[in-house]
Amino acid sequence: MGEEMSSKPYIREISKTNWFYGQPRYMRYMAREVTCIFIFAYTFLLIWALRALANGPEAYQAFLAALNSPLGILFNLAVLVGVVYHSISWFSLTPQAMPLQRGEEFVPGNLIIGAHYGGWAVVSLIVLFLGV
Amino acid sequence: MAKSNKPIVWGLFAAGGTITAFLLPVVVLLTLFAALGMTPDLFTYEYLHAFAANWLGKLVIFGVIFLSLWHAAHRLRITMHDFGLRQDLWIATTVYVLAALGTIMTFFYLLRI
């Protein structure tokens, strides 16, 4: 009896579509991956802006008018949440993605993450300073 | 020895992920201002046209858009798999073609500015 049980492979049914549901670790992974949809969509908004820019001042004003709408506000708000989540999850992985060694010791992960947050703040402030 | 295109795919993905992480939140914030009717200087016609009119500005815009598209396309391919869609050939073709189209459009629009 015992022999029979141990030789039986341990197989669980795992859903292909909602395997991550209800598991905080997997939910965080999926949230991180889904941010790419926002980045993809937003990049095409930028391309639309470039097209309008190439077509002249009237076309560009029409683009701004189309952007200035409830849908435009909602879209940009959703994208903002998505890209901020992307930044946080991306920077929090940097110690694993590029561990730094100084002598015998590894540079602490929090220091690497902190440096990225610092850089993020500087870049954001420069763009705000030049662009507003 | 078998050659792999993984390093190039991954390298561009990582470059795109990094540049979007640093740059996009503040740029999206500025387009949100524009959507709210308070267009910031960067998104006025004169400012953006002046920025895109010189080759350095064009290079920056092209680099940011190309890397963002590549990053998003590659991650979207993986995400579709994670959501249970296993037709990788079709999905990969679709997302990479979209990214390539966006890149080509960016290139030609920039040339016309």
Side-chain angles (χ1 to χ4, degrees), chain A residues 32-33 35 39 82-100 107-125, chain B residues 10 13-26 71 75:
Chain A
R32 185 187 97 194
E33 298 295 290
T35 59
I39 294 176
V83 294
V84 167
Y85 193 86
H86 164 69
S87 301
I88 293 168
S89 61
W90 190 265
F91 293 142
S92 74
L93 284 171
T94 48
Q96 285 99 305
M98 44 170 218
L100 286 179
V107 175
N110 284 339
L111 207 66
I112 299 175
I113 296 173
H116 280 86
Y117 272 88
W120 184 19
V122 170
V123 169
S124 302
L125 285 174
Chain B
W10 170 255
F13 168 76
T18 304
I19 210 151
T20 48
F22 277 113
L23 208 56
L24 276 198
V26 67
H71 165 84
R75 194 171 242 183

Side-chain angles (χ1 to χ4, degrees), chain B residues 31-61:
Chain B
T31 53
L32 177 64
F33 285 157
L36 288 166
M38 306 175 285
T39 306
D41 285 352
L42 179 65
F43 282 98
T44 58
Y45 178 80
E46 294 74 23
Y47 196 115
L48 200 57
H49 193 274
F51 185 75
N54 73 80
W55 66 269
L56 187 63
K58 286 192 207 303
L59 201 68
V60 169
I61 293 172

Side-chain angles (χ1 to χ4, degrees), chain A residues 16-17 19 29 32-33 36 40 42 47 51 55 57 60 67-68 76 80 86-87 90 116 120 124 130-132, chain B residues 14 17-18 20-22 25-27 31 35 40-43 47-48 69 71 75 79 82-84 86 109 112:
Chain A
K16 274 194 172 68
T17 50
W19 55 272
Y29 165 81
R32 185 187 97 194
E33 298 295 290
C36 72
F40 217 3
Y42 184 75
I47 295 171
R51 193 178 93 120
N55 284 342
Y60 191 75
L67 187 64
N68 184 4
N76 277 281
L80 187 61
H86 164 69
S87 301
W90 190 265
H116 280 86
W120 184 19
S124 302
L130 294 175
V132 173
Chain B
T18 304
T20 48
F22 277 113
V26 67
V27 177
T31 53
D41 285 352
L42 179 65
F43 282 98
Y47 196 115
L48 200 57
L69 279 173
H71 165 84
R75 194 171 242 183
T79 306
D82 290 339
F83 275 121
R86 296 293 152 91
Y109 293 146
R112 280 175 43 205

Side-chain angles (χ1 to χ4, degrees), chain A residues 5 8 45 58 63 74 83 92 98 101 106 111 116 123:
Chain A
M5 280 181 74
K8 212 170 153 191
L45 178 84
E58 290 86 24
F63 160 75
L74 219 62
V83 294
S92 74
M98 44 170 218
Q101 206 173 359
F106 277 99
L111 207 66
H116 280 86
V123 169

